[in-house]
Amino acid sequence: MKHYDSMADEALALLYVGGDNRAFDELLARNQQKLYNYILFVVKDTELANDVFQETFVKVITRLQGGQYTDCGKFSFWLIKIAHNVIMDTFRQQKSEHIVEANIDNDLNKLRRQDLIQLSRENEFVNAQVLEDVRHLMDILPAAQREVVYMRYYQDLSFKEIAEATGVSINTSLGRMRYALINMRRAAKEHAMQLGLER
């Protein structure tokens, strides 16, 4: 008898690819809440989040059964990448204005300069209160900016991983983070909040 609860997600995914449906049940149980929280945080609508979640898992099952998954990284990262693509497709279908990019006059290559932005895993938020304030401020952000902040600070992904998951360049990910921080600082100033955001 297999002990599914002691297996890594990646091993369970490969078992499911090999025809073990109970392995998928364990995968779903482990990942559904975290994935749903991510989707809901980005789309900000419960009904839409449910639709995106269901479509994401349909795509996950289809890709697993089609042999499109290999144990080449974290399974949860693979899930997030699929969910991101479903969210973007949904926004495109709705012809939504949710995705805001930097204007044409802005050269995102300049973001490599250290005096513009220097974010790393060591520059985390100082305490739980700041994190809570930031969560409230994130609600004002456009979806693309909110998503990159969520991935960076709540899922602890690197900018390279964020870029891969969202299908954009690292510079665009950094650009979105920069604009998110600018917008959040502006809102914090308007509401007289003190944020420990590192530049």
Side-chain angles (χ1 to χ4, degrees):
M1 182 175 170
K2 294 186 177 82
H3 296 285
Y4 297 102
D5 56 346
S6 63
M7 293 182 177
D9 286 357
E10 295 74 25
L12 290 169
L14 293 175
L15 279 176
Y16 176 67
V17 169
D20 188 336
N21 289 331
R22 287 188 60 210
F24 184 78
D25 293 341
E26 177 69 23
L27 270 176
L28 179 62
R30 285 185 194 181
N31 290 284
Q32 63 184 355
Q33 193 60 54
K34 181 178 177 183
L35 185 66
Y36 180 80
N37 289 345
Y38 161 71
I39 293 167
L40 181 60
F41 192 82
V42 175
V43 302
K44 304 300 259 180
D45 179 275
T46 305
E47 190 175 322
L48 183 58
N50 288 330
D51 291 344
V52 169
F53 179 81
Q54 289 173 7
E55 187 174 342
T56 297
F57 264 96
V58 167
K59 287 185 182 293
V60 167
I61 291 168
T62 302
R63 290 182 184 181
L64 284 171
Q65 290 178 344
Q68 294 176 308
Y69 175 78
T70 55
D71 185 6
C72 56
K74 287 174 67 173
F75 181 79
S76 59
F77 177 70
W78 187 71
L79 280 181
I80 289 170
K81 189 171 183 176
I82 292 172
H84 167 79
N85 290 337
V86 173
I87 291 167
M88 293 303 109
D89 288 346
T90 302
F91 282 165
R92 283 187 204 103
Q93 286 170 1
Q94 294 177 340
K95 296 182 179 171
S96 172
E97 296 295 316
H98 289 278
I99 302 172
V100 176
E101 301 291 347
N103 62 38
I104 292 172
D105 297 329
N106 235 318
D107 180 6
L108 294 176
N109 287 321
K110 292 178 184 173
L111 292 174
R112 291 183 181 174
R113 290 176 38 199
Q114 288 186 355
D115 59 334
L116 284 180
I117 192 166
Q118 221 175 24
L119 294 173
S120 68
R121 291 182 191 267
E122 293 79 34
N123 291 333
E124 296 293 337
F125 291 113
V126 179
N127 57 42
Q129 182 58 50
V130 171
L131 202 57
E132 187 59 30
D133 289 344
V134 168
R135 189 177 275 279
H136 290 297
L137 290 173
M138 287 167 69
D139 289 342
I140 65 157
L141 298 175
Q145 293 174 17
R146 187 168 61 242
E147 180 180 40
V148 83
V149 173
Y150 185 85
M151 287 179 157
R152 181 73 180 121
Y153 289 105
Y154 291 88
Q155 295 185 318
D156 204 28
L157 297 180
S158 69
F159 283 107
K160 181 180 178 188
E161 290 171 325
I162 293 168
E164 288 174 11
T166 57
V168 299
S169 70
I170 291 177
N171 282 343
T172 299
S173 293
L174 287 167
R176 288 176 179 172
M177 177 63 84
R178 178 173 180 256
Y179 286 106
L181 293 178
I182 289 169
N183 289 333
M184 290 165 69
R185 282 193 183 107
R186 185 179 300 128
K189 188 173 181 182
E190 289 169 5
H191 295 92
M193 290 179 180
Q194 294 293 322
L195 296 181
L197 296 170
E198 297 297 325
R199 284 186 70 110

